[in-house]
Amino acid sequence: MENDQCHPSLRGGRRETKYSHGFSSSELEALTGICEAFIPPLPLNNSPDIVGKDGKTKEAIQSFYKSSGAQYPIPDEVAELAVKRGFLEAVILVRLLLIILSTRLGTLLLCGTLCFGEKWPYINKFSDIPVENREKVIQKWFKHRFLTPIRLPFVFIKFLCLYAFFTQVWDDLKNPAWEAMDYQVDNRKDSSTTPHEKPLMKGMVETTHETESTIVSSLVQKGLRVKEVPKEKLYKIKCDVVIVGSGCGGGVAAAVLAKSGQKVVVIEKGNYFTKTDYSSLEGPSMNELYESGGILATLDGKMMLLAGSTVGGGSAVNWSACIKTPMSVLQEWANDCQIPLFTSSQYISAMDTVSQRIGVTEKCSEEGFQNQILRRGCEKLGLEVESVPRNSSENHYCGSCNYGCRTGDKKGTDSTWLVDAVACGAVIITGCKTEKFVLEKNKYGRSRKSKCLGVIAKCLNGDIRNRLCIEAKVTISACGSLLTPPLMISSGLTNQHIGRNLHLHPVLMAWGYFPESDSELKGKIYEGGIITSVHKVGSDDSSVRALIESPALGPASFAALRPWESGLESKKRMLKYARTAHLFSMIRDRGSGEVRSEGRISHTFDATDKENLTAGLRQALRILVAAGAVEVGTLQSDGQKFKCKGTSEGELEEFLDEVTAAGGPKSLVQNWTTYFSAHQMGSCRMGKSEKVGAVDENGESWEAEGLFVCDASVLPGAVGVNPMITIQSTAYCLSNKIAEILKERKFSD
């Protein structure tokens, strides 16, 4: 494997630090019993659909079948992930479940007669029950409709167990199960012969490499004015503009404002990586590049969310789709929401400017496995399928850009707008989390009661204890729809719209299995551009019910998100991983949610949302069947599926009639499902007045002068398409307006 040069944080391998989960030995014993039930050691079945074609594959499959979730370090990893990534309530439920199952009486209460043994004391603890009986216990609780506080911890452990098992890599940077699954990590590199460069280092201060004795000199070397205030345990830094976040909003704002002559400082919680740093390893990449390590859910566990957390934000790890804001959406925002910006020539021009800067191309020279299937199925059904523009070259054939682009072909803000900003003197401080905005009462009697003077930020490196107090004429929050509202609320802002109106573009997935015998379809699901084709369910842009696109799913995500029916069924499915294509139905949600404190996210559908999700999911299944899948299904908990061979159109329609947008695992239903979101918008929306929005048409807070929001949270509602172009175009317009405001207003130094 050619990953020797990747960044240490993205390599994985054996853990070098002790576990800190704090689980007792009896809790770990019960947890080990659960993990073994989810991934039990099995005898090799010699049926043709399991045994490979050559001896090496047979050996790999046999090893995979013998493997177990009880093997070290899986239970410890599950406990660590639960404590580190789970809600407090979820951790309490998990530990309570483990405590109950570590006793005979508790096991009897939850397992009934399945815990009976033949010898004294006749009632076994959960870990002593035969593994096949433990499996039956879990199957029962997965289907239980009423005692969801017991079902939920089993569901959480299932997700973490399968995720930990398939992300584990050893010193050779491989997982033993991958060969059996026919999975290989993307090892492609930039083919250019030019020396590798880190284009942002000229303006970068990486606090992970700094200490209390070096941080000041490093900041001064970048042209910043720094003053230490020992009594307050602060380093005071002066600049013109401070921006919190470096993604689609912050990166664009940094470039525009630095070019206008302002001294810009960008604060980024994540770290800086470039193409040679990336490993394409799912576990360490998700942990380092995504918010909450890629394990982030709504409070009810219904929806899993992905949000970037690195230099470049979501643009560094997204799936490259560059779709302009639909005209029907722009008209709605301009007319119904009374924000004329969105139908202005300025905004239309901004979309072109943004597309040009990030190198958007309209076509794809070679589509990957899943997009071939989408196109093939649509064509056979006579459905329209469109090419998706991408911020990469037309021959960009990368299925792992969600772990960072190893060829450097994809153009995120880290390789475009932020490069422009640094060239104009901007400074980027990484590994630094903003704790609050500095507000004071407005002395000048203006309409806004407060004035923002900058931010207080904490270096995540424990060697630097002093906070950074960055004083600026203008402060911009660009840390995304999930983090901007909690930051504003924790700073004392009280506008009723902060944190509300959160839209998530909910997604439901369908899958179809295409065996290798289908010689017309070449490739694996992890190869080729992630999104290069799209089908719109609906007659035109104004009545689109859903978009059908393809996702990126690494082995661990594939395993953790699929329904678990039994240990045997799960392992059989994993052997089919490489040729199990997924398509998803994504909607423009009319329902909305809230995020008022960090990581505490809720979302509610309205009736139309569920109808549209169902329509899209059924259409995705039709497309998979038409493309030649031998079996199709959904991610519903009962393993909802349909074998296609030898069935009639009527039988397919009967199956599709049963396909719906089910409730989540917390709902009082026997069969539940999991939704997904990679787009978050609207949680600090623009409004004509403070009665309808959290910020004004310029992105400025109604409560604090000089505090602006410049990310997806200002959007009046859901976009309905992949939102990168919309976010960057909005940020481009807002930051140009901020540049004008800086010239017009008088600021004291």
Side-chain angles (χ1 to χ4, degrees), residues 618-693:
R618 291 174 178 175
Q619 188 80 313
L621 288 162
R622 289 189 186 95
I623 291 168
L624 289 164
V625 172
V630 299
E631 187 178 24
V632 298
T634 69
L635 299 191
Q636 191 168 281
S637 61
D638 62 344
Q640 186 179 51
K641 51 186 172 287
F642 178 77
K643 290 189 179 294
C644 308
K645 190 174 181 180
T647 56
S648 66
E649 183 70 25
E651 289 172 311
L652 173 60
E653 289 303 317
E654 283 182 22
F655 167 72
L656 293 176
D657 286 341
E658 297 175 356
V659 172
T660 60
K666 195 176 179 181
S667 56
L668 300 179
V669 294
Q670 180 173 318
N671 299 321
W672 44 271
T673 194
T674 303
Y675 297 80
F676 310 93
S677 166
H679 309 149
Q680 300 89 37
M681 304 143 283
S683 54
C684 279
R685 69 181 178 192
M686 291 182 188
K688 192 72 175 175
S689 73
E690 60 187 326
K691 294 180 179 179
V692 294

Side-chain angles (χ1 to χ4, degrees), residues 525-543:
I525 69 165
Y526 52 85
E527 296 173 340
I530 299 170
I531 295 178
T532 57
S533 296
V534 61
H535 166 64
K536 298 175 181 177
V537 182
S539 57
D540 54 52
D541 280 349
S542 61
S543 60

